[in-house]
Amino acid sequence: MTDTLDIALPKGRLGEKVARLLGEAGMGAADLREDSRALVLESDDGTLRFFWVKPADVPIYVERGAADLGVAGRDVLAELGADVYELLDLGLGRCRMCVAGPGGALERDGVLRVATKFPNIAARHFQNKGRVIDIIKLNGSIELAPILGLSDVIVDIVETGTTLRENNLQVLEDVLPISARLIANKAAFRFKYAQIKAVNAALGGALQGGN
Ligand code: PRP
């Protein structure tokens, strides 16, 4: 008898894309929609169990073994430094983490005030550059910070660039290219190796099929 694999999926925009890819890989579940009210859903063949969590929580479920597998953005993985295996780049949710602000904002002397949802990534980036910063941790609408004078720059996700453009801000430095990754709990990877490899291969195949 094979064990069920528990898979943590990220709610929101990325989750919709992941649900579609799972369907294309033949691992879908009836009603596997990101807005579904059911907390746990079984795959049609009963071998997989999916549940939706906040994107930033996926690595926590996987690292602690509450989920065997998960799908998480590289931004979230880098921020948390989660102790998990990264199995596959799903190529979904492509965007980049950038330093942004008004033109010339990095040229000013002294301590740089940086607003971000990603304090660890921001701290590492500026530490590597030898720049002293003051991190202001926010939870959303980061672009407002330099506009209102709360910070000099932001470290945030840029996808189309529209938000920056509409707020007269610009990319000043690239920090990290981002896409969604299939991640695995380290113990589960050993004990459920065959099943995890099968999921990995099916997703890889669906991606190669041009999705
Ligand atoms: C993200 C990010 C930017 C925006 C970038 O915000 O923080 O604000 O998307 O996308 P764009 O380059 O295509 O304009 P999100 O929508 O996740 O909301 P948030 O304000 O809660 O961070």
Side-chain angles (χ1 to χ4, degrees), residues 13 95-96 117-118 139-143 154-167:
R13 269 179 291 180
C95 53
R96 53 193 182 134
K117 266 200 273 196
F118 303 92
N139 297 298
S141 304
I142 313 294
E143 292 82 0
I154 62 176
V155 168
D156 199 19
I157 286 164
V158 178
E159 195 175 347
T160 61
T162 309
T163 312
L164 291 183
R165 260 193 312 279
E166 289 188 351
N167 291 291

Side-chain angles (χ1 to χ4, degrees), residues 114-119 135-146 150-151 154:
V114 181
T116 187
K117 266 200 273 196
F118 303 92
I135 293 200
I136 302 156
K137 164 85 167 69
L138 296 176
N139 297 298
S141 304
I142 313 294
E143 292 82 0
L144 265 179
L150 178 62
S151 75
I154 62 176

Side-chain angles (χ1 to χ4, degrees), residues 24-167:
E24 285 158 2
M27 295 184 295
D31 221 26
L32 183 62
R33 291 191 329 271
E34 184 272 323
D35 60 354
S36 155
R37 291 287 100 192
L39 290 179
V40 178
L41 291 155
E42 243 181 43
S43 64
D44 299 330
D45 65 1
T47 62
L48 309 172
R49 231 166 30 177
F50 301 106
F51 50 93
W52 296 106
V53 298
K54 288 264 190 194
D57 291 343
V58 168
I60 300 170
Y61 280 84
V62 175
E63 180 175 351
R64 292 180 173 260
D68 301 306
L69 291 173
V71 174
R74 193 171 173 216
D75 50 341
V76 164
L77 292 168
E79 180 62 23
L80 290 176
D83 189 19
V84 297
Y85 289 132
E86 242 181 80
L87 302 183
L88 185 64
D89 183 351
L90 298 175
L92 304 174
R94 264 190 211 287
C95 53
R96 53 193 182 134
M97 182 81 63
C98 296
V99 180
L106 286 174
E107 268 86 75
R108 66 171 57 221
D109 290 331
V111 176
L112 190 73
R113 295 169 307 151
V114 181
T116 187
K117 266 200 273 196
F118 303 92
N120 293 326
I121 293 174
R124 261 198 310 273
H125 176 75
F126 284 106
Q127 194 173 22
N128 288 340
K129 300 196 152 265
R131 182 91 202 236
V132 180
I133 62 167
D134 174 18
I135 293 200
I136 302 156
K137 164 85 167 69
L138 296 176
N139 297 298
S141 304
I142 313 294
E143 292 82 0
L144 265 179
I147 292 170
L148 297 181
L150 178 62
S151 75
D152 301 308
V153 297
I154 62 176
V155 168
D156 199 19
I157 286 164
V158 178
E159 195 175 347
T160 61
T162 309
T163 312
L164 291 183
R165 260 193 312 279
E166 289 188 351
N167 291 291

